[in-house]
Amino acid sequence: MSFELFLRCLTGGLALTVVLLATPASAEEFEITIHHAELQEVKISPHVGDTISFVNHADIAHNLYLTYEDGQVETLDTQPPRTIKRTVLKQVGHVVVRCWIHPIIRMELDVVGK
Ligand SMILES: [Cu+2]
């Protein structure tokens, strides 16, 4: 099973693509690609312990960060083009993914328990 999520930026044409990768282990991996694409929203419900990989296919650097429901922020640091940043989801609840450099980039997840 796989699906994609496109989040089109309102001004810049940047977008996030989410691909759920099937993995043999219990934990899943969601690949989120930053590129130019049309908006197509898909609801995903990753679990605590699942991995999200952010793949920068844009030709500019990003600096993504996750804000958990309790306010905890995880910054993934500067991400040059054609690089990947990974994080393991740590808490149940609502998570907002944004970019320090491009505030228009925004993606929301609801993380559920195992
Ligand atoms: Cu950015």
Side-chain angles (χ1 to χ4, degrees):
M1 173 192 176
S2 71
F3 56 84
E4 295 193 356
L5 168 65
F6 297 97
L7 293 175
R8 182 178 176 80
C9 290
L10 296 178
T11 59
L14 293 170
L16 300 174
T17 302
V18 179
V19 179
L20 173 61
L21 304 174
T23 57
S26 58
E28 293 178 304
E29 180 172 351
F30 296 85
E31 183 178 288
I32 300 178
T33 303
I34 308 168
H35 68 151
H36 301 266
E38 294 298 320
L39 173 64
Q40 180 185 357
E41 283 198 49
V42 176
K43 293 289 183 185
I44 61 174
S45 295
H47 293 77
V48 170
D50 286 350
T51 298
I52 295 188
S53 299
F54 297 94
V55 183
N56 186 4
H57 277 292
D59 55 4
I60 55 175
H62 294 286
N63 191 335
L64 300 177
Y65 65 100
L66 289 73
T67 305
Y68 285 90
E69 196 168 308
D70 69 351
Q72 184 179 121
V73 174
E74 180 183 8
T75 295
L76 301 181
D77 299 323
T78 301
Q79 182 173 8
R82 308 294 166 181
T83 61
I84 300 174
K85 292 282 188 177
R86 289 184 175 82
T87 187
V88 176
L89 296 169
K90 296 165 184 62
Q91 291 182 21
V92 169
H94 196 67
V95 177
V96 179
V97 181
R98 303 190 71 180
C99 176
W100 289 115
I101 303 169
H102 311 98
I104 196 69
I105 291 180
R106 182 186 180 94
M107 175 189 157
E108 301 189 24
L109 307 170
D110 284 303
V111 181
V112 298
K114 280 297 180 188

